[in-house]
Amino acid sequence: MSIDIKFSLDDTDLEYFRSVMNKAQDGAGTASDKEIINKARAVLEGTKPVKPPLFVRESLERLATLIAMLEDPEWPLDGQERVDVISALAYFHNPADLIADDVPVLGLIDDAIMIELVVRELNHQLEAYDEFCAFRSSEEQLRGKDVSREEWLEAKQKQLMKRMRERLGRINRNERGSSRLTRFSFLR
C-alpha cells in the first residue's frame, strides 16, 4: 500500500529555499566545477545504503542526470547552460540542511525539495538531454556505438517514418477500403 502526501510551498517557503541556495552558491564560489560535481556525487553515494522514500529517490535520479549532463562527452554542455547546472549543484557543496541528512528517512527530504526546485528551473535542459540519451541509446542498440552522422539521420528518418505509418495505420485500419487511393475523411 502506498500513501500520497502532498504539500505546498508558499512564497515564504520558497524564499527560505532561495536564501539557502544563495548561501550555498556563495560558499561554493571559489570551488571548481569538479569539486562541486564531486560533492553532489557524494550525496548520491551516501544514499546508497539507505532506501529513502520514493520522492527522494526520484529526486536523486534527477540529481544523477544533472551530473551526467555535465560529464557526458557527447553532450558538450557549455556557456550559460553549464553555469546553470553547476549553480544548481552548488547547493550540495556545503548544504545548510533544514533536516540533517543522517536523520533516517526524513534527512534527505529538504535536499529532494531543493532538487525539485532546480529541476523545475532546468526543465528544458533536462528534457533535451533525456531525449538525446533516449535517441543515442536506441541508435546504439540498432547500429552499434560507432555510428556516422548520415547513419543517425537515416535512422531518425526511419524512426519517424515508422511512427507516421503506425499512426496512419491506426487511423486507416477501420476506414480503409479496397481502393488503392486514400479516402480522406474530410471529403466524406
Side-chain angles (χ1 to χ4, degrees), residues 62 66 117-130:
R62 297 315 277 163
L66 290 170
L117 293 172
V118 298
V119 161
R120 287 173 184 239
E121 293 285 323
L122 300 173
N123 186 44
H124 297 298
Q125 293 94 322
L126 284 162
E127 282 181 0
Y129 184 65
D130 288 344

Side-chain angles (χ1 to χ4, degrees), residues 16-29 31 35-37 39-41 43 60 63 66 83-101 106-118:
Y16 167 78
F17 280 100
R18 198 174 297 116
S19 71
V20 168
M21 176 59 90
N22 289 339
K23 287 177 189 172
Q25 288 173 333
D26 290 345
E35 290 172 317
I36 292 171
I37 292 167
K39 290 279 189 159
R41 184 178 288 110
V43 169
L60 293 172
L63 175 60
L66 290 170
V83 170
D84 292 344
V85 176
I86 290 291
S87 295
L89 297 182
Y91 169 78
F92 298 99
H93 187 265
N94 190 14
D97 282 340
L98 179 64
I99 306 168
D101 289 348
L106 301 176
L108 294 169
I109 288 180
D110 58 329
D111 296 337
I113 292 169
M114 185 63 80
I115 294 167
E116 179 62 27
L117 293 172
V118 298

Side-chain angles (χ1 to χ4, degrees), residues 169-182:
R170 275 185 245 134
I171 293 169
N172 294 332
R173 188 174 299 127
N174 297 329
E175 300 173 357
R176 190 173 305 193
S178 59
S179 172
R180 67 179 185 90
L181 300 176
T182 301

Side-chain angles (χ1 to χ4, degrees), residues 44-113:
L44 292 176
E45 295 298 321
T47 62
K48 284 186 178 179
V50 180
K51 185 176 180 185
L54 180 61
F55 169 72
V56 174
R57 287 194 314 266
E58 289 172 343
S59 294
L60 293 172
E61 287 171 12
R62 297 315 277 163
L63 175 60
T65 302
L66 290 170
I67 294 169
M69 286 174 62
L70 293 167
E71 296 182 328
D72 190 333
E74 295 175 325
W75 185 258
L77 193 63
D78 57 4
Q80 189 59 47
E81 289 81 19
R82 184 173 183 84
V83 170
D84 292 344
V85 176
I86 290 291
S87 295
L89 297 182
Y91 169 78
F92 298 99
H93 187 265
N94 190 14
D97 282 340
L98 179 64
I99 306 168
D101 289 348
D102 59 354
V103 175
V105 181
L106 301 176
L108 294 169
I109 288 180
D110 58 329
D111 296 337
I113 292 169

